[in-house]
Amino acid sequence: MVTINLSTLQTLLFTVGPFLIPRLLSYYRTQRAAAQSSPVPIQATPYPVFRSLNILFISAFLALISTLPYFSPENIFAITSSRLQTPNDVLFSRLGLMRPSNTLTESDQRLRPRLASLDARCFYLTYGPDVLMNCPFCVSDEPNTYFYYALPSLLFPHVLHLFALGLATSSRVSGKYGSTWRTTAVILGATFALVDCYSVGTYDSKANARVLRPEDLDLFHWRTRTLRGISICIADAVLALLLWAASTNRIFAVPPNPAERMEAAMKVLESMRGRLGAVGIVRNVVARDKGLRQRGGTYWAREGLVMEEVMADREVVDGMRNALSGRISVSNVEEEARKYADGIVVWQEGEKVG
């Protein structure tokens, strides 16, 4: 079976990368140019998207800190600098010297008989100490039994990741912005889980049996833990970036359809009609009230006198003449004013008839 390891991934990256990366950059530039030329303006980050971004940040942060050595199981071959072929007594004697009071712990005592054979030690590097100590049905003659026991622990972080992705892209949390990416997020999380399980299930555990130096051992279990956490962190970061960019109309901007534009225009017209109605009510109240009517008449009389004085000023006349000379056609202005006045009269007559 094909084994997916670091060298295979590097070879694949160096082979596909020169062809894939330029196309991804070209696709990004195309989407960015389309967004900039789109009639949809760039907007601030919507509040529902903030909640999705927080969920993805927490998921990425937890995945990243899970790669720290503090949260990883202990590797006795690494801490004792022992070869895989080191006798059991020598291996645990070295381990005992590193324990408090030079005494092996209860876990060390349980692990000691499980590492008696070379095959068991190979499975230890592949699946970690927990599987080797606690599996009740695993036998070296059936390597798949170790994989079956380890499968739930392999899927557990991916299930949590899928839950975080589903929550971040749900319509209740992110509204319409996250639901667009829901299918993509689920496919991405499921693909990571399948690739992870496939790489563990097809790994050749016996490869370490031929290694003679401790530094050449392939610590597969610890390496895959690190890659798993980093991959989930990168996936969450990429999804958060896409969700933010799409919600702010920086990329993938979709202009509203005619029905949505019509609905928005009708809302604006209804709002303007309400404001005009309110202005009409105010003017009606002013016209009916004697005191307000007198104050209004006094204001406009004074305003007329002030404007006459301003317009009669020689400097204002010269300035207006210089500004309008050769730029504005008086006949065109009069024609536009006539059409505007006719339109108002027709609209008012239509309102009265209605």
Side-chain angles (χ1 to χ4, degrees):
M1 302 179 72
V2 180
T3 301
I4 299 178
N5 50 33
L6 185 59
S7 60
T8 304
L9 293 176
Q10 289 177 344
T11 303
L12 182 63
L13 181 62
F14 286 124
T15 303
V16 180
F19 301 96
L20 184 61
I21 292 177
R23 285 170 172 76
L24 291 177
L25 293 176
S26 176
Y27 178 74
Y28 169 76
R29 294 191 185 99
T30 302
Q31 291 295 329
R32 184 177 179 84
Q36 291 177 348
S37 61
S38 173
V40 182
I42 294 178
Q43 63 180 0
T45 305
Y47 176 73
V49 176
F50 273 116
R51 294 182 294 190
S52 297
L53 296 180
N54 289 334
I55 294 173
L56 293 174
F57 172 77
I58 293 173
S59 175
F61 178 74
L62 293 177
L64 188 61
I65 65 172
S66 68
T67 62
L68 298 177
Y70 178 81
F71 299 100
S72 299
E74 187 180 54
N75 186 347
I76 63 175
F77 291 98
I79 64 175
T80 60
S81 300
S82 300
R83 297 181 301 111
L84 211 62
Q85 296 82 5
T86 302
N88 225 24
D89 294 337
V90 176
L91 176 63
F92 282 90
S93 296
R94 294 175 181 175
L95 184 61
L97 296 175
M98 297 181 177
R99 299 302 190 204
S101 303
N102 295 333
T103 304
L104 294 174
T105 64
E106 181 181 354
S107 298
D108 297 335
Q109 297 292 352
R110 291 174 54 195
L111 183 61
R112 185 169 186 169
R114 300 295 183 98
L115 291 178
S117 65
L118 183 61
D119 290 342
R121 296 184 177 194
C122 292
F123 293 131
Y124 174 87
L125 296 181
T126 303
Y127 299 102
D130 179 71
V131 174
L132 205 67
M133 284 191 302
N134 300 321
C135 181
F137 56 84
C138 298
V139 291
S140 300
D141 295 337
E142 295 291 337
N144 289 334
T145 55
Y146 290 93
F147 174 72
Y148 298 149
Y149 184 83
L151 190 58
S153 61
L154 288 176
L155 292 176
F156 180 71
H158 294 289
V159 172
L160 292 180
H161 185 220
L162 283 171
F163 175 77
L165 294 178
L167 184 62
T169 56
S170 65
S171 57
R172 291 182 177 271
V173 174
S174 60
K176 64 178 182 179
Y177 305 100
S179 58
T180 306
W181 298 93
R182 189 175 184 85
T183 303
T184 303
V186 171
I187 293 176
L188 181 65
T191 301
F192 275 179
L194 292 175
V195 171
D196 191 10
C197 294
Y198 178 79
S199 64
V200 175
T202 58
Y203 179 73
D204 184 11
S205 302
K206 302 297 180 64
N208 281 315
R210 298 182 293 272
V211 177
L212 300 178
R213 296 189 303 175
E215 57 270 19
D216 294 335
L217 289 174
D218 181 14
L219 309 180
F220 180 78
H221 175 71
W222 289 264
R223 177 165 56 86
T224 52
R225 276 180 56 89
T226 302
L227 292 177
R228 184 181 303 120
I230 293 176
S231 300
I232 291 176
C233 179
I234 293 175
D236 290 340
V238 171
L239 180 60
L241 179 61
L242 291 174
L243 182 59
W244 169 79
S247 65
T248 56
N249 297 327
R250 284 175 167 83
I251 58 174
F252 307 116
V254 179
N257 55 45
E260 292 176 344
R261 292 199 298 269
M262 181 66 69
E263 182 180 0
M266 291 300 297
K267 289 181 179 179
V268 173
L269 291 176
E270 288 292 335
S271 176
M272 293 302 298
R273 182 174 181 178
R275 294 180 182 180
L276 291 174
V279 172
I281 293 173
V282 173
R283 290 179 62 86
N284 190 22
V285 171
V286 171
R288 291 175 180 272
D289 187 89
K290 182 178 179 180
L292 293 176
R293 186 169 62 250
Q294 290 178 350
R295 292 179 62 183
T298 302
Y299 169 80
W300 287 112
R302 186 172 62 253
E303 182 71 13
L305 294 175
V306 171
M307 292 303 299
E308 286 181 2
E309 293 177 359
V310 172
M311 298 302 296
D313 188 88
R314 186 63 183 176
E315 295 181 358
V316 175
V317 174
D318 294 340
M320 292 182 62
R321 183 182 295 112
N322 294 333
L324 300 178
S325 177
R327 298 183 183 180
I328 298 178
S329 176
V330 177
S331 59
N332 292 338
V333 173
E334 292 178 349
E335 181 65 20
E336 291 179 0
R338 185 186 63 78
K339 292 180 179 179
Y340 180 74
D342 291 343
I344 294 177
V345 173
V346 171
W347 177 77
Q348 290 179 345
E349 291 177 352
E351 287 290 320
K352 292 179 180 180
V353 173

